[in-house]
Amino acid sequence: MILISLSVFGILSALLFFRDFAAGPKSRKVCIVEPGKDGSDDAPAVIRAFQECGKNGRVEFLNETYHIESVMNTTGLDDVEINLKGTLLWGTNIMYWLNNSMPMGYQNQSTAWILGGHKINFQGHGYGTFDGNGQVWYDFVNDESNYPRRPHALAISETTNSVFEGLRFVQSQMWTMTLIHSSNVLLHNIYVSSTSNSNATPSNTDGADTIYANNITFSNWSVTNGDDGISPKANSSNILVENSTFIGGSGLALGSIGQYEGVFETIENFTALDCYFKNTIHAAYLKSWTGQQVNYPPNGGGGGLGYIKNVLLQNFTLDNVKLPLSFTQCISYSGIAGVDCNSSLLKMQNVSMVDVRGTAQEEPVASLQCSASSPCHDITIEWLELKSSNGTAMVGYNCDNVVGTTGFNCTGRTCGKSSVDGTC
Ligand SMILES: *[C@@H]1O[C@H](CO)[C@@H](O)[C@H](O)[C@H]1NC(C)=O
Ligand SMILES: *[C@@H]1O[C@H](CO)[C@@H](O)[C@H](O)[C@H]1NC(C)=O
Ligand SMILES: *[C@@H]1O[C@H](CO)[C@@H](O)[C@H](O)[C@H]1NC(C)=O
Ligand SMILES: *[C@@H]1O[C@H](CO)[C@@H](O)[C@H](O)[C@H]1NC(C)=O
Ligand SMILES: *[C@@H]1O[C@H](CO)[C@@H](O)[C@H](O)[C@H]1NC(C)=O
Ligand SMILES: *[C@@H]1O[C@H](CO)[C@@H](O)[C@H](O)[C@H]1NC(C)=O
Ligand SMILES: *[C@@H]1O[C@H](CO)[C@@H](O)[C@H](O)[C@H]1NC(C)=O
Ligand SMILES: *[C@@H]1O[C@H](CO)[C@@H](O)[C@H](O)[C@H]1NC(C)=O
Ligand SMILES: *[C@@H]1O[C@H](CO)[C@@H](O)[C@H](O)[C@H]1NC(C)=O
Ligand SMILES: *[C@@H]1O[C@H](CO)[C@@H](O)[C@H](O)[C@H]1NC(C)=O
Ligand SMILES: *[C@@H]1O[C@H](CO)[C@@H](O)[C@H](O)[C@H]1NC(C)=O
Ligand SMILES: *[C@@H]1O[C@H](CO)[C@@H](O)[C@H](O)[C@H]1NC(C)=O
């Protein structure tokens, strides 16, 4: 009798101890965001919740629709759990957003929400949704590239040791998310879909971009969109994309970099494993601006320095991809004739695409347009089982200024131009 009581007491006190230990001095303050029922702006309530509970706390959204009619800056968070169980629906007052979207720190781009901090655990439980109401933006900009102050959906800025999981992003206003000045972030089980029901394309609706970012993992993503799927840009290192699906859009886009004259930008250690591409322009696309500066960023530029190196693309399945692998060192502001595709000093080096199967529309497998001023080095393309749409095994590799090929021989030249959409 006494022994049993003691052991029951022992178990109870252990449970209490651990609860205390977990709750203990770091007990989380919980803020539940209540939506206004009249469709009024919920952004101030969201901001208040982050102010109250953004440090050692938890911010909870209910399974409701929240109307976001104004910009949100929730930075400097520390050890916060965010539970999104409903939908954040962004408003369509275009003039408001053009006046108020916040700079996100690169290329004159701006954003509707800037979120950042350390130890952020953002859970969407597979249904928490960001809805950017993007159709109004696709129609409004009508394919104009980088329309000034058109907002991105989310900037994850100055963020470390964080997880974003089980979230859905639909109809993003522009780029879906950018990780900037951030490191050690895992983004897992993320669904992105931006499509247009009008004649305007969902242009510039990138799935995710990384800028000044290190050690970022994208795992089990599904991206349907009209532009880059996942795109490491300036100073991105140790980026992993795994087990992800890309539908429509341009596939994985490394760059572009080299847009700012004299500025050194790098992409190093990019790995993509076990991915599936359907109806995309490319599986992967490496791009730099030319060595000549023509006009100014965002819609112009060139003359930057740096490199893209150590890229591994492995175990891809393609379904009706236009041009599986493309390099270009000839990005310029569209419409400018006579740019020199041999002028870029940026280096593309040690890139491997291996173990790829499926179908592409037509020859070639790869178009590698490298600059004569800085040839590409150490390119491997092997273990392919690719057929073109007529069922013929694909054999073509078009190259300019490629030094050191493994697994393939160049069979022709590229058209010597930038081929953003895979055509010359
Ligand atoms: C959220 O609420 C809607 C009804 O408003 C309901 O149909 C849906 O099942 C709920 N989702 C979850 C995950 O609770
Ligand atoms: C946008 O800014 C302009 C000029 O500052 C101002 O006149 C206009 O009222 C603003 N519009 C909105 C919707 O905020
Ligand atoms: C966001 O808020 C932080 C802290 O107040 C501030 O330092 C930063 O400049 C703000 N960012 C933007 C883009 O407004
Ligand atoms: C882009 O930003 C730069 C630096 O902040 C600024 O000098 C330039 O005027 C901006 N350009 C546009 C088109 O807004
Ligand atoms: C990279 O980030 C992950 C979190 O996503 C972390 O567990 C890991 O330790 C980091 N790696 C390095 C080398 O810092
Ligand atoms: C992968 O993500 C999808 C949502 O896009 C989700 O349904 C699925 O459960 C995820 N897989 C795992 C293993 O979590
Ligand atoms: C890998 O992706 C597939 C297809 O989206 C999904 O069903 C599966 O759960 C994912 N596995 C992991 C471990 O995320
Ligand atoms: C980008 O990386 C280069 C090379 O490491 C470095 O010189 C440059 O300062 C970095 N730029 C920024 C803004 O971090
Ligand atoms: C890239 O990976 C190599 C090999 O793992 C490592 O030595 C190097 O430091 C990494 N580069 C960066 C910028 O982290
Ligand atoms: C290749 O990727 C697919 C998912 O696209 C995965 O199911 C399969 O296990 C991977 N194969 C290897 C050898 O890793
Ligand atoms: C199949 O298409 C390729 C171009 O992708 C072409 O070179 C080849 O001749 C075609 N083969 C047949 C049998 O039509
Ligand atoms: C490339 O060409 C060389 C010289 O003709 C030949 O020895 C080699 O087998 C070819 N490699 C491939 C992968 O076709």
Side-chain angles (χ1 to χ4, degrees):
M1 222 17 209
I2 292 167
L3 275 176
I4 289 167
S5 298
L6 268 178
S7 67
V8 167
F9 178 76
I11 288 164
L12 275 177
S13 58
L15 285 173
L16 288 172
F17 172 77
F18 281 114
R19 282 178 56 130
D20 256 31
F21 184 76
K26 279 184 126 189
S27 133
R28 287 188 184 279
K29 189 169 175 191
V30 178
C31 292
I32 297 173
V33 188
E34 297 279 351
K37 299 290 180 193
D38 55 357
S40 61
D41 185 12
D42 291 312
V46 175
I47 292 168
R48 259 195 319 277
F50 279 96
Q51 282 165 349
E52 296 254 319
C53 293
K55 295 197 166 125
N56 307 318
R58 183 160 78 227
V59 174
E60 291 264 349
F61 293 87
L62 306 170
N63 177 15
E64 307 261 0
T65 296
Y66 294 82
H67 294 268
I68 308 297
E69 305 290 339
S70 54
V71 293
M72 301 194 291
N73 176 354
T74 56
T75 47
L77 307 174
D78 191 5
D79 190 13
V80 62
E81 290 174 18
I82 306 166
N83 271 311
L84 180 61
K85 295 178 173 170
T87 295
L88 304 177
L89 178 66
W90 268 265
T92 57
N93 183 343
I94 286 183
M95 289 323 294
Y96 167 80
W97 294 107
L98 294 178
N99 273 0
N100 293 283
S101 65
M102 298 171 293
M104 50 68 93
Y106 191 72
Q107 228 190 20
N108 299 65
Q109 306 269 10
S110 58
T111 186
W113 188 4
I114 181 165
L115 172 93
H118 312 297
K119 292 205 275 176
I120 297 169
N121 181 0
F122 198 144
Q123 295 289 334
H125 308 277
Y127 59 91
T129 300
F130 286 58
D131 184 340
N133 247 321
Q135 187 69 49
V136 296
W137 289 101
Y138 315 151
D139 292 336
F140 176 76
V141 307
N142 196 20
D143 296 355
E144 180 175 335
S145 179
N146 287 327
Y147 192 97
R149 307 191 55 79
R150 175 183 173 193
H152 301 175
L154 176 66
I156 299 169
S157 178
E158 296 185 31
T159 294
T160 63
N161 303 325
S162 294
V163 179
F164 294 76
E165 193 164 32
L167 290 160
R168 301 174 71 251
F169 292 83
V170 300
Q171 300 304 94
S172 301
Q173 303 91 316
M174 190 177 154
W175 292 5
T176 298
M177 74 177 76
T178 305
L179 288 112
I180 184 163
H181 297 298
S182 293
S183 59
N184 306 345
V185 179
L186 169 66
L187 301 109
H188 189 211
N189 303 349
I190 307 281
Y191 172 85
V192 177
S193 177
S194 294
T195 60
S196 175
N197 62 22
S198 73
N199 287 334
T201 66
S203 62
N204 242 325
T205 50
D206 294 12
D209 294 81
T210 64
I211 299 171
Y212 312 133
N214 178 49
N215 187 26
I216 311 293
T217 297
F218 300 90
S219 175
N220 189 27
W221 277 53
S222 168
V223 180
T224 302
N225 70 344
D227 213 305
D228 300 342
I230 291 178
S231 177
K233 291 186 160 66
N235 288 19
S236 292
S237 52
N238 305 305
I239 310 293
L240 173 64
V241 177
E242 59 183 9
N243 195 44
S244 294
T245 296
F246 300 91
I247 301 172
S250 5
L252 300 167
L254 287 76
S256 53
I257 57 174
Q259 190 173 3
Y260 292 85
E261 187 170 34
V263 174
F264 201 92
E265 295 177 334
T266 68
I267 298 172
E268 183 171 348
N269 300 348
F270 176 85
T271 304
L273 307 174
D274 311 338
C275 291
Y276 174 71
F277 300 84
K278 185 181 171 74
N279 301 335
T280 52
I281 296 174
H282 307 291
Y285 180 25
L286 281 66
K287 44 182 179 170
S288 86
W289 286 69
T290 67
Q292 306 162 293
Q293 173 164 356
V294 183
N295 294 344
Y296 295 90
N299 289 327
L305 304 167
Y307 53 77
I308 300 180
K309 75 175 184 195
N310 305 347
V311 175
L312 174 63
L313 311 163
Q314 185 169 0
N315 184 25
F316 287 179
T317 300
L318 315 188
D319 180 356
N320 192 41
V321 167
K322 186 155 189 188
L323 171 58
L325 180 64
S326 174
F327 294 2
T328 179
Q329 297 209 249
C330 200
I331 301 281
S332 64
Y333 185 42
S334 52
I336 292 173
V339 291
D340 180 357
C341 293
N342 285 316
S343 58
S344 172
L345 295 175
L346 223 121
K347 192 80 170 170
M348 295 185 179
Q349 189 172 3
N350 190 21
V351 178
S352 299
M353 184 170 88
V354 299
D355 189 12
V356 178
R357 68 204 69 78
T359 58
Q361 288 174 9
E362 58 193 34
E363 297 282 2
V365 174
S367 169
L368 311 179
Q369 188 275 311
C370 301
S371 163
S373 308
S374 181
C376 298
H377 274 263
D378 304 323
I379 312 302
T380 299
I381 306 175
E382 60 187 351
W383 310 322
L384 305 188
E385 281 179 49
L386 280 176
K387 289 184 172 162
S388 69
S389 45
N390 64 14
T392 308
M394 294 181 67
V395 294
Y397 298 87
N398 293 347
C399 313
D400 298 339
N401 308 303
V402 176
V403 179
T405 64
T406 302
F408 72 106
N409 287 317
C410 298
T411 58
R413 312 265 308 176
T414 78
C415 61
K417 298 196 283 201
S418 166
S419 66
V420 174
D421 65 355
T423 49
C424 278

